[in-house]
Amino acid sequence: MNIVACVKQVPDTEAQIKVKPDGSGIEEGGIKWVMNPYDEFGVEEALRLKEKNGGEVTIVCVGPARAMETIRTALAMGADKGIHISDPAFDGADAYTTASALAAAIKGIPHDIVFCGQRAIDDDSAQVGAVLAELLEIPQVTVVTKLEFAGNSVKVIRPIEGAQLLIECPFPCVVTAQKGLNEPRYASLPGIMKAKKKPVDVKDAGALGVSTDRKARVVRFVPPPARAAGKIICADDTPEGKAAELAKLLREEAKVI
Amino acid sequence: MAKGVWIVAEQRDGALRKISFELASTARKLADQLGEEVCAVLCGSGIEGIAGQLGKYGVDKVFVADNPALEPYTTDAHAMAVAKVVKENDPAILLLGASTQGKDLSGRLVGKFATGLATDCTDVKIADGKLLAIRPMYAGKCFGEIAISSFPQMATLRPNVFAAVENPKAGAVVKFDPALDAGQLKTKVLEIQKDTSGKVDLTEANIVVSGGRGMKGPEGYAILEELAAVLGATVGASRAAVDAGWRPQTDQVGQTGKIVSPNLYIACGISGAIQHLAGMSSSKFIVAINKDAEAPIFTKADYGVVDDLFKVVPEFAKECKKLLA
């Protein structure tokens, strides 16, 4: 089976995000960069499919030079090879541009199933998997929490508001991974050593023959709206008094209950 | 030239979903500024009768594809239908819900139209005749103002954030043939397992009662369930509580869980790690109940109670019961 897993390097969930004074982006100093947590679920599922059914896992990543570290992490987990799409022109790329680059790279290799994270926790756009599927002209199932290989297709669970769907999707297809799909492994020390020797093909936009034009652009980054300082409820300093005061405020002042 | 503000309305089991009215009202506002029309696309089976309801919320025309292959929702069928009618009419702006369905469909349409999309917006406006979309990024740790240079300019709107306001317009129904190519319908919904608990999904709840590490164990959540029952709320959890196995993963609120924006968010025994705050900061009112006065959650809370939650929550539930009786 030919399996592709797309990964992105993002700031760690604990990272404080500071907007540059001119609003042109975020301050990258001091940020710890990690593999997007949802992509980790995709890589793990790719490895499990390979271990059960045989085949090869290729990691594809759009990102600057530092993103090589994330590709190596996936290789250390057990993936076989990587494609690193690295070009300064992709900085701040939107979903369409990113998916176009991924599609160009993936079209050149055999692919039965392509994993992506359901969203990246930096721009939170949650689009790349679906755009990629459209550009590859293959079906998609997004936000998947369970996957079962069924010969030439997969059967997956997709939670939606108030229900869960069991969906069958034939190969080739794109699957986007949600938390719950699996518990990603840590790279072993021998895995890390081996990863250093695994092949990673580095390509720029020219080599892929894709445009780097963005359709959507962040014209300005702004800090989140500040919330006015809240009220600490003291009342008569008993739990009962505080509880009564809180209920009254929510009813009469906030009018939310 | 691209013209008009369009929405993709959502229905399930023959009923329009709330997000559809939020989309309609928001589109109406934008269209009035542009002096253009609001049109909706509605896909499903046996749904022609409900299309007119969108008129009440400001929709001029509803393009309806009524076809058994459009029920239940599949990406393939809906993308084909929506893309066809949108391409034929060339709108300037296309809005969808940032619901599970809207997010699944919108990416596909971005690929078909080779355009740009702002996901999960909390505000949209018109600036210099173009869409300007405001959305949280890094799970709300910062916001981005997004401009789109291609048509249609697409955005998905975060559920529960935009008001649904009645503003009656014609809501004229225009049927269209979705021209589905059966060979291209690849995915199949084999089974729909409905949640029979009657619980409103976290992302759609008006009130969320959430518990964290301070709940001390799975049994601690009983008092939150009781409070939720009184308030008609949905119970959520922090990552710490989910990782400890106290609550199912579907209950997690935060950067790697669900992003919620209820009218009222009650955080109990949650310290307010940045990754949690990221998932609930767009709530309209936030209450924090925590015995640690230094907990970062208090910097976000409109009302804070510094005390033992196991004493405060049951009393609070009693008080609410009295008020709501």
Side-chain angles (χ1 to χ4, degrees):
Chain A
M1 196 187 312
N2 295 295
I3 309 164
V4 174
C6 302
V7 299
K8 184 178 191 183
Q9 192 183 42
V10 299
D12 177 58
T13 52
E14 297 303 318
Q16 298 276 354
I17 300 296
K18 283 202 192 83
V19 174
K20 286 182 184 166
D22 65 358
S24 65
I26 61 153
E27 302 275 11
E28 294 200 351
I31 284 180
K32 184 181 162 207
W33 298 92
V34 299
M35 188 189 302
N36 176 41
Y38 295 106
D39 298 347
E40 272 187 69
F41 301 123
V43 171
E44 177 62 34
E45 203 63 21
L47 295 174
R48 289 185 189 192
L49 275 181
K50 172 187 133 172
E51 284 156 5
K52 263 201 197 150
N53 309 290
E56 198 175 51
V57 176
T58 306
I59 302 300
V60 186
C61 174
V62 179
R66 60 171 153 72
M68 181 62 90
E69 201 186 315
T70 291
I71 299 173
R72 292 284 172 206
T73 302
L75 297 175
M77 287 167 75
D80 300 287
K81 55 186 184 176
I83 301 174
H84 185 183
I85 304 164
S86 185
D87 194 318
F90 284 125
D91 289 355
D94 67 351
Y96 183 77
T97 312
T98 304
S100 303
L102 291 171
I106 294 168
K107 271 181 187 161
I109 56 173
H111 52 273
D112 296 311
I113 184 163
V114 180
F115 287 99
C116 297
Q118 59 103 346
R119 71 170 195 260
I121 62 160
D122 52 357
D123 58 28
D124 286 323
S125 87
Q127 298 170 48
V128 168
V131 185
L132 175 61
E134 174 63 27
L135 298 178
L136 292 173
E137 299 175 73
I138 60 178
Q140 74 193 45
V141 266
T142 59
V143 197
V144 165
T145 55
K146 197 172 167 209
L147 182 143
E148 193 186 302
F149 174 56
N152 240 333
S153 65
V154 283
K155 285 185 184 168
V156 303
I157 295 283
R158 164 175 158 80
I160 61 171
E161 298 87 356
Q164 289 207 56
L165 307 177
L166 174 64
I167 298 177
E168 181 164 25
C169 184
F171 282 169
C173 62
V174 171
V175 171
T176 79
Q178 165 70 321
K179 189 173 180 180
L181 182 59
N182 53 47
E183 201 56 58
R185 71 195 65 188
Y186 290 100
S188 66
L189 193 57
I192 294 168
M193 299 311 290
K194 268 193 230 161
K196 291 181 182 165
K197 293 192 189 123
K198 290 179 177 172
V200 178
D201 206 358
V202 182
K203 292 185 170 179
D204 61 13
L208 286 171
V210 290
S211 160
T212 57
D213 280 354
R214 289 174 252 178
K215 312 284 184 187
R217 200 163 46 86
V218 184
V219 286
R220 198 160 69 105
F221 287 83
V222 289
R227 293 187 81 98
K231 225 182 242 181
I232 295 290
I233 295 164
C234 296
D236 59 4
D237 214 34
T238 64
E240 296 78 19
K242 290 174 191 173
E245 178 71 8
L246 176 62
K248 196 172 153 230
L249 284 167
L250 290 175
R251 178 84 168 173
E252 289 168 13
E253 194 175 86
K255 300 188 168 67
V256 284
I257 62 172
Chain B
M1 168 128 176
K3 219 176 161 94
V5 182
W6 280 50
I7 65 168
V8 178
E10 243 176 76
Q11 57 85 22
R12 211 189 283 170
D13 300 330
L16 286 164
R17 294 177 64 76
K18 189 170 153 233
I19 185 70
S20 301
F21 304 119
E22 296 170 9
L23 286 164
S25 289
T26 310
R28 184 75 256 164
K29 257 197 221 166
L30 299 179
D32 284 347
Q33 286 180 52
L34 292 166
E36 294 177 7
E37 245 182 2
V38 174
C39 297
V41 188
L42 179 66
C43 299
S45 181
I47 40 104
E48 204 186 322
I50 59 169
Q53 294 171 23
L54 289 163
K56 206 160 116 186
Y57 291 86
V59 175
D60 297 298
K61 256 185 226 158
V62 189
F63 289 83
V64 177
D66 207 323
N67 186 309
L70 291 167
E71 194 67 49
Y73 168 87
T74 62
T75 321
D76 307 335
H78 279 240
M80 237 181 273
V82 174
K84 178 176 184 267
V85 71
V86 167
K87 275 189 179 155
E88 283 168 3
N89 291 277
D90 191 23
I93 295 173
L94 178 62
L95 306 177
L96 294 91
S99 53
T100 55
Q101 180 175 318
K103 284 202 249 189
D104 182 72
L105 180 61
S106 59
R108 200 83 202 183
L109 296 174
V110 163
K112 285 187 190 290
F113 304 143
T115 191
L117 160 69
T119 306
D120 210 16
C121 299
T122 51
D123 196 9
V124 285
K125 45 182 123 176
I126 300 293
D128 299 328
K130 301 276 307 262
L131 179 73
L132 188 69
I134 291 98
R135 59 178 299 259
M137 299 175 74
Y138 299 88
K141 293 176 193 173
C142 80
F143 278 62
E145 296 175 358
I146 317 291
I148 296 160
S149 57
S150 45
F151 293 105
Q153 306 162 79
M154 287 180 64
T156 57
L157 308 187
R158 179 175 287 193
N160 262 357
V161 170
F162 296 83
V165 186
E166 289 192 20
N167 181 358
K169 299 284 170 190
V173 173
V174 184
K175 287 183 80 168
F176 76 98
D177 173 7
L180 300 176
D181 172 357
Q184 290 303 312
L185 304 180
K186 303 248 172 88
T187 48
K188 274 194 201 84
V189 177
L190 303 179
E191 203 182 318
I192 302 173
Q193 303 154 355
K194 286 194 185 153
D195 176 8
T196 49
S197 67
K199 185 172 144 173
V200 181
D201 193 81
L202 276 172
T203 58
E204 298 180 320
N206 280 324
I207 303 180
V208 172
V209 179
S210 239
R213 212 188 293 270
M215 302 314 298
K216 295 185 177 158
E219 52 296 328
Y221 282 81
I223 55 171
L224 300 191
E225 296 283 2
E226 276 165 40
L227 175 60
V230 172
L231 295 174
T234 300
V235 175
S238 71
R239 183 168 75 182
V242 170
D243 286 351
W246 300 348
R247 300 296 288 182
Q249 192 262 312
T250 43
D251 282 5
Q252 187 184 322
V253 173
Q255 191 170 12
T256 51
K258 288 182 175 159
I259 311 286
V260 301
S261 47
N263 284 332
L264 174 60
Y265 187 88
I266 305 177
C268 305
I270 291 177
S271 64
I274 185 159
Q275 93 94 31
H276 186 78
L277 298 178
M280 42 65 84
S281 307
S282 63
S283 305
K284 287 174 196 83
F285 280 90
I286 297 172
V287 169
I289 305 175
N290 198 309
K291 63 182 177 197
D292 174 11
E294 303 301 319
I297 189 79
F298 287 114
T299 64
K300 295 278 174 188
D302 299 284
Y303 302 113
V305 177
V306 183
D307 209 324
D308 180 356
L309 71 94
F310 289 99
K311 290 183 183 149
V312 176
V313 171
E315 286 300 325
F316 176 57
K318 260 191 241 164
E319 290 296 332
C320 291
K321 207 171 191 172
K322 261 194 263 167
L323 284 176
L324 297 173

